Amino acid sequence: MSLDAALNAAQLSLSANSKRIMVSALNVAGANDPNYSRKLSPLVMENGGVYAAGPTRAGDTRLYERYLEATSASARDGALLSGYMRLSDTVGDTSAGTSLVARLGALTDALTEYANAPGDDNLARAAVTGARDLAVALNDAASVVNEVRSGAAEEIKTSVGRINTLLQEFRQVNARVVHGSVAGSDVTDDLDRRDALVAQLAGEVGVSIVTRANNDMVLYTDGGVTLFETTAREVRAEVGGGTARVFIDGVQVAGDAPQMPSKSGKLVGLTELHNEVVKDYGAQLDTLAFGLIQAFREVDPAASGADLQGLFVGGGGSAALPASAGGLAGTIAINAAVDSRASGDPGKLRDGINYSYNTESAPAYADQLFGLLGQLGDTAVAGLGGKRPLDYAAATVSWVESGRKAAYSAAESNGAVVQLVTTSLSNARGVDINEETALQLELERLFAASAQLISVVDNMFQSLLNAVR
């Protein structure tokens, strides 16, 4: 090898190692950034010399796509679980006296004791108190349902706003990536930022990606609707009348009867929570309240008048039985006529509120009380679908707890998948400080060797020149 060739090789090696040391230093600086991908600068042979190519990014495209899928699924399950947990608070521990089932059971027991000793005023007050506690529990549960529904509605709007903001930022970063790729400049940091934005989008709605020429990226929902192609598509929500709908680029992706439904993401979970879970549970509570009013209705002893509201009443102030269950859980209360707090007489529960049953004012009269117990235990109570009120309450509790358990199981499973995929992705593209330290030591030795070679060649040139002189 000639001295010129040796000097050129040493200089190229020095330049290549210098670049690789710089890239390694960047890796060390970004080691604690979860969105940073390890940069690589491989050596390539060109024109008889060695050059440091890149930098390029370490990574695994399929693993990254799986990470997006897992993130979306976990976000959907998390939104549902959060809602179910809040609704589960209204159920309470079924073994405790604060649960709906326990309160209804306590009312049944108090009414039974009163029927067995109808002359005891204390037992009359206890029965009315049990009814009040049950009504308050239903009111509280209805209030929680409304809170969860309104909270989900606000979160849907927030999620839509966040998606639109992320898409605008994605547009800017993607433009820099495309322009930099065309110009041949280093776009690895912008690629990292773009991946981070896509991951955040995946938390809001399921996302699939397609990468085109010059690293241009197109985004679709997991249902096939375009989120971004050259420009960001508009995402909007319509929330009202107890129903939420989400549209992307004019196509409905979530809500009642979506055209191209998305399957995952926080936005999908919130919409399902708002439109289905909360709606169904609220309807069950209203139906239970409707059934209680029906079970404690007063029947005209002469069979000539209409059945009227008795111990329990719905909103509106009318004595007539409600025509439907809508909204009753939030308004059900005990009849003021038996409420001692409202100057009522608890004894009217025995003697009659709207009709006079105890015509002789006999203290041992219990027919009406036993009649109410019979109605409470009847499977033909209107609106309860062939169930007794206690059985319907138990079924409602079971429905909530089954949903909560399923949501918890799904959230736990997908959470584990997210953790596993995140770890695998970090191993594939993250920075290992020990590995970078070892690489830097190796590069320093190569740098020193190249510098030494240049020094040797320089000495040889000096000797040659001296000999010529």
Side-chain angles (χ1 to χ4, degrees):
M1 177 183 293
S2 67
L3 292 180
D4 284 340
L7 181 60
N8 183 60
Q11 289 175 330
L12 290 175
S13 176
L14 198 66
S15 176
N17 286 325
S18 176
K19 182 176 181 179
R20 295 177 71 193
I21 289 173
M22 178 192 69
V23 170
S24 182
L26 292 174
N27 287 336
V28 172
N32 295 323
D33 184 351
N35 298 317
Y36 183 86
S37 296
R38 182 171 181 250
K39 306 303 184 291
L40 305 174
S41 184
L43 295 176
V44 295
M45 293 291 297
E46 186 176 336
N47 298 326
V50 177
Y51 297 85
T56 60
R57 298 190 308 159
D60 185 320
T61 301
R62 181 66 192 109
L63 195 58
Y64 176 66
E65 291 175 351
R66 184 70 186 92
Y67 168 72
L68 296 179
E69 294 170 5
T71 298
S72 294
S74 180
R76 172 189 175 274
D77 295 333
L80 282 173
L81 177 60
S82 177
Y84 269 115
M85 291 294 288
R86 188 71 181 95
L87 295 179
S88 182
D89 291 341
T90 68
V91 170
D93 184 352
T94 54
S95 64
T98 57
S99 70
L100 284 173
V101 174
R103 290 189 187 280
L104 183 51
L107 172 59
T108 303
D109 292 342
L111 190 61
T112 301
E113 292 179 7
Y114 183 32
N116 290 326
D120 192 328
D121 292 339
N122 289 327
L123 293 180
R125 284 190 289 271
V128 171
T129 298
R132 181 189 298 110
D133 291 344
L134 178 57
V136 170
L138 280 168
N139 297 159
D140 292 343
S143 178
V144 170
V145 166
N146 290 331
E147 288 176 9
V148 174
R149 179 186 289 114
S150 61
E154 289 303 314
E155 287 192 66
I156 287 171
K157 296 174 183 177
T158 300
S159 179
V160 166
R162 178 169 170 76
I163 291 172
N164 285 320
T165 299
L166 289 171
L167 286 175
Q168 290 302 324
E169 188 173 352
F170 177 89
R171 178 184 62 81
Q172 297 172 3
V173 176
N174 189 65
R176 291 201 301 268
V177 169
V178 173
H179 294 159
S181 298
V182 171
S185 56
D186 180 12
V187 296
T188 53
D189 287 340
D190 284 327
L191 289 172
D192 286 346
R193 178 56 186 159
R194 190 175 69 177
D195 282 355
L197 290 172
V198 175
Q200 292 177 60
L201 280 168
E204 304 297 329
V205 65
V207 175
S208 63
I209 60 177
V210 174
T211 304
R212 304 189 297 193
N214 298 317
N215 285 315
D216 185 22
M217 184 175 284
V218 180
L219 303 180
Y220 301 94
T221 68
D222 54 4
V225 179
T226 303
L227 267 173
F228 179 92
E229 184 178 13
T230 308
T231 60
R233 306 304 166 90
E234 180 191 18
V235 183
R236 62 184 176 86
E238 294 180 356
V239 183
T243 301
R245 298 180 179 87
V246 179
F247 298 83
I248 298 177
D249 200 20
V251 180
Q252 186 178 341
V253 299
D256 296 343
Q259 298 161 303
M260 298 179 69
S262 289
K263 307 174 187 64
S264 58
K266 181 181 180 180
L267 186 57
V268 173
L270 289 171
T271 305
E272 183 177 342
L273 177 66
H274 181 278
N275 289 2
E276 299 176 26
V277 177
V278 176
K279 182 178 179 180
D280 289 349
Y281 184 49
Q284 291 181 54
L285 292 176
D286 287 340
T287 300
L288 177 58
F290 181 79
L292 287 172
I293 293 173
Q294 293 287 340
F296 282 90
R297 70 192 184 281
E298 288 195 345
V299 181
D300 183 7
S304 61
D307 292 353
L308 300 175
Q309 296 185 100
L311 175 59
F312 290 105
V313 296
S318 172
L321 291 171
S324 64
L328 283 180
T331 62
I332 190 172
I334 60 172
N335 200 314
V338 297
D339 188 0
S340 58
R341 295 181 180 181
S343 301
D345 179 10
K348 286 187 176 182
L349 182 59
R350 174 197 66 190
D351 299 333
I353 299 171
N354 303 288
Y355 298 108
S356 180
Y357 297 106
N358 188 10
T359 56
E360 299 179 358
S361 299
Y365 177 80
D367 290 355
Q368 170 63 4
L369 297 175
F370 280 116
L372 291 176
L373 283 169
Q375 291 173 187
L376 187 59
D378 193 350
T379 58
V381 175
L384 297 186
K387 291 185 174 70
R388 298 180 306 148
L390 187 59
D391 293 336
Y392 189 88
T396 298
V397 169
S398 177
W399 183 88
V400 173
E401 288 303 293
S402 295
R404 181 195 61 78
K405 183 178 180 181
Y408 179 82
S409 178
E412 187 177 48
S413 176
N414 281 316
V417 172
V418 170
Q419 184 175 4
L420 177 62
V421 175
T422 300
T423 300
S424 299
L425 188 61
S426 177
N427 292 337
R429 70 179 192 180
V431 177
D432 185 329
I433 290 296
N434 293 329
E435 183 179 342
E436 290 299 325
T437 301
L439 176 62
Q440 287 184 355
L441 291 174
E442 178 184 353
L443 292 174
E444 287 176 4
R445 287 194 295 269
L446 292 173
F447 191 90
S450 298
Q452 182 64 35
L453 177 58
I454 291 176
S455 177
V456 170
V457 171
D458 180 64
N459 289 334
M460 295 179 69
F461 267 119
Q462 289 296 329
S463 298
L464 181 60
L465 291 173
N466 292 333
V468 171
R469 292 191 186 99

